[in-house]
Amino acid sequence: RSLAIRDLIDEFDDYLSSHLQGSLRCQQVAVADLCRMVIVDNQEELDGMGIALRVEDHCPETLLWVDISKLRRVFGNIIGNSVKHIKGADRLIKVTVDQVPDGVRVAVSDNGVGVPEENLDRIFEALYTSDESRSVAGLGLAICKEIIEAHKGRIWAENRPGGGLTVVFVLRLLTGELA
């Protein structure tokens, strides 16, 4: 119980610090490097849990102006949520990156339990949980929302037709400071 409270305090501290747009330390990053980071940060741990990680990069040369440490946190929070809700024998987390007219679209999908349709928008609220068995709700997706919005992007979630959830975010193609 004390570890759960400690984790919540740490998340709350991150949540408060993510509100500070001035705290972004952006640099130019190729989508290919971002995808490599996701693999390096997560592959070994997911393999150990019997969860496959598949990363599909359809725009490796595209350049983004992002705070890589904050995006690392976004991926960690989304993938961490997927791990908690994944089910079945063929457990898979898939990250797909595509160029879209207004930027780069990143979709993180799992084959977990999904979220009731009426709660999809609420999962990004601080302290909300769709898991009624949890006594303490987290801040992970609220932190993701703050970080993506600080990058002038947007984030949302969709249920997968075959089961599971996809969290999607779009990062604008930027050249220089976030305006």
Side-chain angles (χ1 to χ4, degrees):
R1 181 62 115 179
S2 64
L3 287 177
I5 292 170
R6 169 44 106 193
D7 288 345
L8 184 61
I9 290 169
D10 290 345
E11 276 191 2
F12 190 65
D13 185 47
D14 288 341
Y15 179 69
L16 291 175
S17 69
S18 71
H19 277 73
L20 307 173
Q21 180 147 350
S23 73
L24 290 179
R25 301 206 190 316
C26 293
Q27 63 189 46
Q28 193 171 350
V29 177
V31 169
D33 294 331
L34 188 66
C35 290
R36 262 192 296 284
M37 177 204 72
V38 170
I39 293 167
V40 167
D41 287 354
N42 297 285
Q43 184 80 60
E44 187 176 331
E45 184 177 359
L46 292 174
D47 283 350
M49 292 186 278
I51 301 171
L53 174 65
R54 186 178 328 141
V55 178
E56 295 180 3
D57 177 2
H58 301 131
C59 54
E61 310 273 318
T62 302
L63 298 174
L64 299 170
W65 186 255
V66 295
D67 183 324
I68 199 73
S69 67
K70 299 274 192 213
L71 281 188
R72 194 172 239 134
R73 181 63 187 252
V74 168
F75 281 106
N77 288 356
I78 295 170
I79 290 171
N81 275 358
S82 289
V83 166
K84 291 176 198 167
H85 301 287
I86 208 160
K87 64 176 183 179
D90 296 322
R91 300 172 349 143
L92 170 68
I93 296 174
K94 181 178 172 186
V95 178
T96 308
V97 186
D98 294 291
Q99 188 145 0
V100 293
D102 56 342
V104 170
R105 180 185 188 272
V106 179
V108 182
S109 301
D110 64 50
N111 55 355
V113 296
V115 173
E117 285 295 322
E118 65 272 12
N119 296 341
L120 279 175
D121 289 336
R122 297 203 61 209
I123 65 173
F124 296 99
E125 293 175 13
L127 303 177
Y128 175 79
T129 181
S130 64
D131 183 351
E132 291 161 14
S133 69
R134 290 186 65 189
S135 58
V136 177
L139 295 164
L141 291 178
I143 291 170
C144 292
K145 183 175 192 247
E146 291 292 328
I147 291 170
I148 296 302
E149 288 179 352
H151 282 86
K152 304 296 185 200
R154 62 189 192 286
I155 188 169
W156 67 94
E158 305 168 348
N159 279 311
R160 293 183 56 236
L165 187 71
T166 299
V167 175
V168 182
F169 59 92
V170 174
L171 296 169
R172 292 184 358 193
L173 299 178
L174 299 173
T175 55
E177 294 301 316
L178 296 172

